[in-house]
Amino acid sequence: MGSLNFLFVATTASYLAASILYLIAMIAKRPQAGRTGRWLLLVGILLQATCFALRHSSTGGTPVTSLHESLAFFAWCLILLFLLLDLRFHLSVMGAFAAPVAFILMIASGLSPNVVIQLSPLLKSWLFPVHIIFAFLGNAAFALSFGAGVMYLVQNRMLKSKRFTGIYQLLPSLDTLDKVNYTCLSVGFPLMTLGIISGAFWANTAWGSYWSWDPKETWALITWFLYAGLLHGRLTVGWRGRTAALFSIIAFMFLLFTFFGVSLLLGGYHTFESFSAV
Amino acid sequence: MNIIVVGLSHKTAPVEIREKVAFPPTAMGDPLQRMVTLPAVSEAVIVSTCNRVELYAASRQPERAVIELKAFLADFHNLDPAVLDAHLYDLAGVEAIHHVLRVAASLDSMVVGEPQILGQIKTAYGYACEHNTSGAILNRFMHKAFSVAKRVRTETGIASNAVSVSFAAVELARKIFDTLENKTVMLVGAGEMCELAAKHFVNNGVSKVLVTNRTFSRAEKLAAEFDGTAVNFENFREQLHRVDILLSSTGSPDYVLTAKKLKEVCKERRYRPMFLIDIAVPRDIDPAANKIDNIYLYDVDDLQGVVQANLKERQKEAAKAEVIVEEEVRQFQTWLASLEVKPTIVALRRRMDEIRQAELEKTLANLGELKEKERRAIEAMSAAIVNKILHQPTSILKQASNNDDGDSYLDAVRTLFALPVEEDNAGELADE
C-alpha cells in the first residue's frame, strides 16, 4: 500500500500546485503560470492512472467501489476531460475551476475511509466497471459544462452592464463558452445515457430486475430528463447563451444531489456500504 | 559626455507652434548636418512627429549646447526665438536620458501606450544614421531607448486595451463572437465614426458589409468602398436577421429600431447574438434592447466608458513602466559615466598591472632561488613593458577627450580590455 499512498499524495500535490498556478494566472494575469499548471495536471492524471492500475492489480476488482475511490476517480475524469477541452478551446481560465475542484475531491477522498470493498460475487460483472466509468465521465463532462455556464454568465453580465473587471480580459468569448457548454453537453449526455443503460443491465443480472425505483435511479432519471430537455432545447428551439448556461447550472445542481445527496440522505442500494451487504 | 534634449511637445506647445517647427521627413539631411556643426554638439538625432519635435544631442558642454540648439531651432524655422522659447523645454544629463526613455516607451504620449512613437523614433534614428550624425553615444543611447520600449511593452500591460472608440468596438465584438470571420456588419446611416468603425471591423476579418441610408446613392457609394451591398432604407429591417454587428448613426429624431422589432429579429436569428453599436445622438436604437437576451447594445457613452476604463488601466500599467525606466536610466548613466577619460585610464592601468603581477609571480616561482638584484631586474623589465605599451594609448585617450569622436576610443578601450563598469563610482565620476 506504500506506493499507492505515495501516488495518491503526489497526485493530490500536483492538483494543488496546478490550482495555485491557475489561480495566479487568473488573479495576477500571468498566463504563463496556467501553461505550467496544465503540465502539472497532465502529470497528475498519469500518476493517478498508475494508482488505479496498481489498485486494480492488488485487489483484482474495479477500483471504484468505496467513497474514497469514487471521489478520486471523479477528480481524474474531471481533469482528463478538462485537458481535452483545453486542447480544443484554449480554456486556461477554466483551470482555475477544474483544478481546485479536483484537489478538493482528492482531499475529500483522502479523508473518507480508504477501504477496499469486496463486491459480493452477486455483483461481479463486467457491466459494473462499464456502468461506473460511463456515469463518472458523464458527470465530469456536466461539471465542466457547469463551469462554462458560470463563466458565460459572468462574461455576459459584464458585457450587458458594461462594467468590466480584471477577469474580463481572461475569460474567453461568449461564443467559445457557449460552444464549450454545448460540447460538454453533447459528450456528457450519451455517456450518462450509457451509464444508466449499463446500470440497468447490471441490475438485471444482479437483482433480476432492470429498474427498481431506488432513490438514486429516480434522481438520475430526473437529471437525465433535464439534460435531455436542454439538449432538445438547443437543437430544436435554438436555446443558447444565457438560457443554456442557466439550464446547465440548474441541471448540475440536480446531478450533484443525485451523486452526493441521495447517497447521504436517502439511502438505497447505491450507497457504498450496501455493496458488500447485499 | 552628456545627453541633451531640446524640444517641445503637445504638453508645452499648441499645434500652431508644433506645425511650424516640424521637420519634413524628406529633407532631414540639412538640419542634421547643421546640428552637428554647432560647436558644442558632437552628435545629433531629430525626432519630428505631429505631437513633438525634439533635438537629441551628445555634448561635452551641456549649457552651451542648449543655447545653440535653441537658437538653431528658431533660426532654421525662421521663428522669433522669444516666442519659441516659451514652448521649449531643455534637459541635460540624467533628466534627458530619463525623458527620452519615457518618450520611446510611450509614457509621455498623448495617449499613453500608443505604439506609433517607437516607430517614429526608429525612423528618426534611421535618418541620423543615414547622414552620419549619430556616434558612439547616441547609437548606444537610441538602442537603449528601443530596448526599454520593448521591455515596457512585454512586461507591462500598457498597450493591452483599446483606447479608441472604434477599436473598443472591435474588441467587444471579439468578446462576443470570438472571431469576426464570416460575420456580417450593417451600417445604418453614414457618419464618419461609423465608417471608421466599419473599416476596423473589415480589417479585423468581417467578411460581409451591408449599407443602408435614406439617400440610396450614398449607401451605394459607401457600400462600394467596402465591397459591400447597398440596402434600401425602407426595408433594411427585413435584412436584420442576417446582421451580426450593426453600426447605426442616422440623424433620425426617433428610434430607428425598437426593442420589439429587435426581439422578433432575435427569434428569427435563432437567438444568435447581435452586437448593436448606436453612435447616433439622439439615439437610433431603443436602449431597452440591451435587456433582450443575446443582444448587446452599446451607445456612444458606453463605448467612451470602456475607453476611459481602459485608459485608467493603462495609467496603472504606466506606473510599473516608470519603475522599469528608472532602472534603465541608472544603467545607461553608469555606462555613460564610464566613458570619462580619467577613470578609463586608471582602469586600464589597473588591469595591466594585475596581469603583470600575476605573470611575475608565476615566473619567479618557476625560477626558484634568485638573487635580489636579478629579481628586481625582472620586475623592472615587466613594468617597463607595460609602461611602453600603455604610453601611446594613454596619450591618445587624453587627446581624444577634446575631440568629438573621443568617446568611440573610450568605448573601444573598455570593450577591448574588458574593463569593468563600476557602478559605485559612477555617480561620483559623472559629477567631475
Side-chain angles (χ1 to χ4, degrees):
Chain A
M1 277 321 244
S3 59
L4 273 181
N5 274 333
F6 170 74
L7 283 171
F8 187 87
V9 171
T11 306
T12 312
S14 49
Y15 290 166
L16 172 65
S19 305
I20 293 169
L21 284 168
Y22 275 116
L23 288 170
I24 288 175
M26 190 171 83
I27 295 160
K29 295 187 207 159
R30 297 205 176 276
Q32 315 88 290
R35 258 165 260 150
T36 318
R38 183 163 52 201
W39 283 109
L40 280 170
L41 287 186
L42 190 63
V43 169
I45 59 166
L46 291 177
L47 286 171
Q48 213 181 347
T50 321
C51 193
F52 292 140
L54 285 177
R55 206 166 174 116
H56 174 74
S57 65
S58 73
T59 65
T62 312
V64 194
T65 47
S66 68
L67 184 62
H68 169 81
E69 290 165 329
S70 37
L71 288 171
F73 184 64
F74 191 21
W76 187 79
C77 291
L78 188 70
I79 296 302
L80 177 72
L81 289 185
F82 163 68
L83 287 174
L84 289 174
L85 267 187
D86 190 26
L87 206 64
R88 169 80 179 75
F89 292 106
H90 306 291
L91 279 174
S92 199
V93 227
M94 210 176 184
F97 160 75
V101 169
F103 170 68
I104 291 165
L105 285 168
M106 292 302 283
I107 290 292
S109 162
L111 291 178
S112 47
N114 182 359
V115 287
V116 177
I117 295 173
Q118 282 303 335
L119 283 182
S120 58
L122 197 62
L123 298 179
K124 272 201 175 154
S125 155
W126 62 272
L127 280 166
F128 177 64
V130 169
H131 167 60
I132 295 282
I133 289 168
F134 279 146
F136 275 68
L137 279 172
N139 287 353
F142 289 138
L144 291 171
S145 89
F146 163 81
V150 171
M151 282 158 73
Y152 186 98
L153 290 186
V154 171
Q155 184 77 307
N156 184 62
R157 161 65 70 79
M158 285 194 281
L159 282 164
K160 281 275 189 190
S161 69
K162 293 144 193 178
R163 272 195 293 274
F164 303 98
T165 54
I167 198 174
Y168 167 75
Q169 281 296 329
L170 294 164
L171 283 177
S173 63
L174 291 179
D175 185 68
T176 305
L177 290 170
D178 194 49
K179 275 189 190 137
V180 171
N181 192 293
Y182 179 64
T183 307
C184 290
L185 180 66
S186 56
V187 168
F189 187 72
L191 285 169
M192 189 191 200
T193 311
L194 287 171
I196 290 176
I197 292 172
S198 56
F201 275 102
W202 177 47
N204 189 41
T205 56
W207 290 285
S209 81
Y210 288 100
W211 199 268
S212 48
W213 298 106
D214 149 271
K216 192 148 216 153
E217 287 174 359
T218 312
W219 280 92
L221 196 65
I222 294 171
T223 313
W224 184 86
F225 269 115
L226 280 175
Y227 279 112
L230 174 56
L231 196 60
H232 176 78
R234 287 202 81 118
L235 292 175
T236 63
V237 190
W239 282 356
R240 56 165 65 233
R242 185 165 156 274
T243 318
L246 269 176
F247 209 116
S248 63
I249 289 170
I250 293 165
F252 186 67
M253 293 299 137
F254 277 81
L255 187 115
L256 277 184
F257 184 74
T258 309
F259 189 65
F260 293 110
V262 171
S263 301
L264 298 174
L265 301 175
L266 301 178
Y269 63 59
H270 266 92
T271 52
F272 300 106
E273 301 74 32
S274 67
F275 281 134
S276 45
V278 175
Chain B
M1 205 50 138
N2 265 289
I3 304 281
I4 314 287
V5 175
V6 169
L8 46 76
S9 73
H10 58 96
K11 288 183 176 162
T12 63
V15 65
E16 300 84 63
I17 299 287
R18 299 206 301 271
E19 65 193 6
K20 280 190 190 124
V21 294
F23 291 88
T26 44
M28 291 305 285
D30 177 42
L32 281 167
Q33 292 302 345
R34 278 180 62 183
M35 243 176 99
V36 284
T37 48
L38 297 172
V41 172
S42 38
E43 300 176 26
V45 169
I46 299 176
V47 174
S48 178
T49 76
C50 49
N51 279 332
R52 70 179 66 243
V53 173
E54 289 182 343
L55 309 176
Y56 301 160
S59 166
R60 290 200 176 280
Q61 301 149 278
E63 290 90 4
R64 225 183 117 190
V66 166
I67 296 166
E68 287 176 3
L69 287 171
K70 284 183 172 176
F72 158 75
L73 202 57
D75 184 48
F76 190 86
H77 296 290
N78 296 317
L79 295 167
D80 178 3
V83 174
L84 188 58
D85 228 38
H87 301 288
L88 286 180
Y89 43 81
D90 57 273
L91 304 157
V94 183
E95 280 171 14
I97 298 169
H98 192 230
H99 175 79
V100 176
L101 297 192
R102 286 190 75 238
V103 168
S106 195
L107 291 169
D108 197 50
S109 303
M110 194 182 266
V111 179
V112 170
E114 57 91 6
Q116 284 91 341
I117 184 66
L118 180 59
Q120 288 161 336
I121 295 183
K122 279 185 174 164
T123 311
Y125 174 62
Y127 292 133
C129 290
E130 196 182 311
H131 296 100
N132 237 340
T133 62
S134 176
I137 302 288
L138 285 188
N139 282 342
R140 182 88 169 232
F141 183 48
M142 297 315 281
H143 282 114
K144 186 73 183 180
F146 304 153
S147 74
V148 171
K150 195 176 165 202
R151 221 189 121 190
V152 164
R153 201 148 287 266
T154 50
E155 289 179 25
T156 75
I158 196 160
S160 57
N161 298 311
V163 288
S164 75
V165 164
S166 39
F167 260 121
V170 170
E171 259 181 25
L172 284 166
R174 281 227 179 87
K175 277 291 175 189
I176 296 169
F177 301 109
D178 200 51
T179 163
L180 298 181
E181 263 153 55
N182 304 320
K183 295 290 177 286
T184 302
V185 168
M186 181 185 254
L187 282 92
V188 182
E192 204 181 318
M193 204 137 110
C194 228
E195 231 181 290
L196 187 66
K199 232 171 244 164
H200 279 311
F201 276 116
V202 169
N203 289 342
N204 284 283
V206 159
S207 54
K208 213 165 157 58
V209 180
L210 303 175
V211 184
T212 183
N213 199 305
R214 274 186 218 278
T215 326
F216 190 68
S217 60
R218 284 193 66 187
E220 274 181 318
K221 206 173 138 231
L222 197 56
E225 225 172 280
F226 292 114
D227 242 342
T229 319
V231 178
N232 231 318
F233 191 78
E234 278 64 48
N235 47 17
F236 85 91
R237 290 174 189 81
E238 287 155 31
Q239 302 287 329
L240 281 176
H241 64 278
R242 294 166 56 194
V243 175
D244 302 294
I245 300 159
L246 183 132
L247 292 153
S248 190
S249 67
T250 72
S252 162
D254 311 310
Y255 295 143
V256 175
L257 283 170
T258 60
K260 188 166 161 270
K261 174 66 198 168
L262 284 165
K263 209 163 191 172
E264 284 166 34
V265 171
C266 208
K267 200 168 172 195
E268 214 178 328
R269 286 172 56 77
R270 285 177 61 92
Y271 308 104
R272 272 180 295 127
M274 258 182 120
F275 182 28
L276 311 176
I277 302 154
D278 186 354
I279 310 179
V281 180
R283 285 178 289 185
D284 279 345
I285 304 170
D286 184 354
N290 193 46
K291 294 208 181 76
I292 303 169
D293 248 0
N294 301 311
I295 284 192
Y296 302 88
L297 170 61
Y298 280 70
D299 62 29
V300 169
D301 282 5
D302 295 333
L303 290 174
Q304 288 291 0
V306 172
V307 166
Q308 287 307 321
N310 287 351
L311 277 173
K312 232 181 249 168
E313 191 63 26
R314 280 197 181 193
Q315 296 298 345
K316 259 193 252 162
E317 294 300 308
K320 285 190 216 164
E322 297 284 3
V323 177
I324 295 176
V325 168
E326 296 280 346
E327 195 184 308
E328 300 276 352
V329 167
R330 226 173 302 133
Q331 233 185 63
F332 186 77
Q333 180 59 28
T334 307
W335 174 79
L336 199 57
S338 77
L339 287 191
E340 297 300 317
V341 173
K342 226 163 70 185
T344 307
I345 291 174
V346 170
L348 182 60
R349 287 220 148 259
R350 198 182 297 143
R351 162 57 45 94
M352 289 298 164
D353 221 49
E354 277 164 19
I355 296 171
R356 187 177 77 87
Q357 291 294 354
E359 292 305 312
L360 202 57
E361 259 169 50
K362 248 194 265 171
T363 309
L364 291 177
N366 284 341
L367 287 176
E369 283 297 310
L370 281 182
K371 283 182 198 139
E372 182 61 20
K373 201 175 146 196
E374 289 168 335
R375 223 171 65 90
R376 254 195 246 140
I378 291 173
E379 270 181 27
M381 182 198 69
S382 66
I385 291 174
V386 166
N387 280 337
K388 281 268 155 70
I389 289 175
L390 285 185
H391 177 73
Q392 185 69 2
T394 309
S395 58
I396 286 186
L397 282 176
K398 279 180 181 159
Q399 282 167 21
S401 62
N402 302 319
N403 296 338
D404 280 349
D405 60 347
D407 298 302
S408 43
Y409 285 102
L410 290 167
D411 195 28
V413 166
R414 292 236 164 226
T415 314
L416 286 175
F417 294 99
L419 301 182
V421 175
E422 281 161 45
E423 190 118 16
D424 298 343
N425 330 333
E428 189 188 322
L429 291 170
D431 292 338
E432 278 178 17

